[in-house]
């Protein structure tokens, strides 16, 4: 029995898609940038330098990193909810602009008026940062409708959480997306607790990858803590959508290490549970271990990467605390659109 178990484990391991050296290094840098940026944002929030809401992405880095690596940057549109800093960073937005928006500075991506939850970049095809739970699903479906109408070959990637998965507008969007075979991939970032209620207490069915079954939308459940598996699934889902076959649902099984927001003490779960994920499933440590094992990097070279990332984050933080605040007249700009 022991030999059979070992053979089964070896077979399962061999089925995991492997990354090249360049892919491993890219994934490591991108995820590390998100992690260190979010840690700094948390510190700055605690110091009172960031106001309003602040939802950190620590622990979930493999999801947006793997998906974005599988997409066409500058072509495919992405949209998410309020846990959005990591999405912007991996799409190539300037960390200084992201951090400056958190501190409400004029150089922020939304001129200091959007804060943590409402950032936007048409240049990078990132459409928020949306504060209303589930609203981004309808908007993401609209982006897919525009892509099909224009025939530009792009795909809309709409992220939302397990909590938003029970919203009615999500299912209206599913229906329309399949009815018109729109090029959209719905990414459900299932971190198990929504705001603070476990999925077992909040959802009658906890396999969110099957939520599109009644609309004939295929779905797949993915280990969202392994960037290779995320990338592999996203590559297939995006190709499905781009080739004209319509929407696809990916449920990413992931985990956030911090509370829902900076004001959440996360008392609904045990410290042992969080520690277990950090020690056994951390997405960044997995990549680091593979880089060292394969000889793609050394401890010294990875320390150099760490130093480089910390310098980028420090520069962003310094910029965000010294850049000018918006002029009072900015209150009246970009508010309404006149014919």
């Amino acid at each position: 029995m022991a030999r059979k178990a070992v053979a089964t484990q070896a077979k399962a391991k061999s089925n995991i898609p492997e990354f090249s050296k360049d892919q491993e290094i890219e994934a490591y840098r991108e995820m590390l940038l998100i992690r260190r940026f979010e840690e700094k944002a948390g510190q700055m929030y605690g110091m009172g330098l960031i106001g309003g809401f602040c939802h950190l992405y620590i622990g979930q880095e493999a999801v947006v990193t793997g998906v974005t690596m599988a997409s066409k940057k500058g072509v495919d549109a992405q949209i998410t909810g309020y846990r959005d800093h990591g999405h912007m960073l991996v799409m190539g937005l300037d960390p200084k602009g992201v951090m400056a928006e958190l501190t409400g500075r004029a150089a922020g991506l939304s001129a200091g008026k959007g804060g943590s939850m409402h950032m936007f970049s048409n240049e990078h095809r990132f459409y928020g940062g949306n504060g209303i739970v589930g609203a981004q699903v309808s908007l993401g479906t609209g982006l897919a409708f525009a892509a099909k109408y224009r025939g530009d070959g792009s795909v809309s990637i709409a992220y939302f959480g397990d909590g938003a998965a029970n919203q009615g507008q999500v299912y209206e969007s599913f229906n329309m997306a399949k009815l018109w075979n729109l090029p959209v991939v719905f990414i459900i970032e299932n971190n198990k607790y929504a705001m603070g209620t476990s999925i077992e207490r909040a959802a009658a069915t906890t396999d969110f990858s099957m939520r599109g079954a009644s609309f004939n939308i295929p779905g797949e459940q993915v280990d969202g803590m392994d960037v290779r598996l995320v990338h592999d699934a996203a590559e297939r889902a995006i190709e499905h959508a781009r080739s004209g076959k319509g929407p696809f649902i990916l449920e990413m099984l992931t985990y956030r290490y911090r509370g829902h927001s900076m004001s959440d003490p996360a008392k609904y779960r045990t410290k042992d549970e969080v520690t277990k994920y950090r020690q056994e499933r951390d997405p960044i440590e997995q990549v680091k271990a593979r880089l060292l094992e394969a000889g793609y990097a050394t401890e010294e070279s990875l320390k150099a990467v760490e130093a480089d990332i910390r310098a980028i984050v420090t520069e962003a933080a310094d910029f965000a605390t010294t850049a000018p605040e918006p002029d009072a007249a900015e209150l009246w700009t970009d508010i309404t659109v006149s014919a």
Side-chain angles (χ1 to χ4, degrees), residues 43-54:
Q43 292 173 7
M44 293 172 67
Y45 188 94
M47 295 166 64
L49 298 171
I50 296 173
F53 293 96
C54 186

Side-chain angles (χ1 to χ4, degrees), residues 18 54 57 72 84 121 182 207 256 312 317-318:
E18 295 298 328
C54 186
Y57 202 63
K72 292 183 178 180
D84 58 355
S121 174
L182 301 181
D207 185 345
R256 56 173 166 78
I312 291 171
D318 291 343

Side-chain angles (χ1 to χ4, degrees), residues 240-270:
H240 175 96
R242 202 185 310 278
S243 65
K245 296 177 182 177
F248 202 100
I249 295 172
L250 291 176
E251 179 191 2
M252 299 294 178
L253 301 174
T254 186
Y255 195 83
R256 56 173 166 78
Y257 297 166
R258 301 289 184 92
H260 170 70
S261 68
M262 286 298 296
S263 60
D264 173 21
K267 293 182 178 180
Y268 41 81
R269 58 187 184 179
T270 65

Side-chain angles (χ1 to χ4, degrees), residues 72 74-77 125 127 143-156 183 242:
K72 292 183 178 180
V75 175
D76 295 331
R125 300 221 67 204
Y127 298 97
L143 289 168
F145 179 84
K148 183 165 185 177
Y149 184 81
R150 294 169 180 154
D152 61 16
S154 68
V155 171
S156 172
R242 202 185 310 278

Side-chain angles (χ1 to χ4, degrees), residues 104-107 111-113 324-333:
R105 305 295 168 139
K113 297 187 293 186
E325 294 184 353
D327 188 271
E330 192 64 36
L331 285 169
W332 308 104
T333 61

Side-chain angles (χ1 to χ4, degrees), residues 78 80 84 87-88 91 119-121 124-129:
Q78 295 203 37
T80 189
D84 58 355
H87 297 69
M88 289 175 286
M91 289 188 75
M119 294 190 229
F120 181 97
S121 174
H124 291 81
R125 300 221 67 204
F126 179 74
Y127 298 97

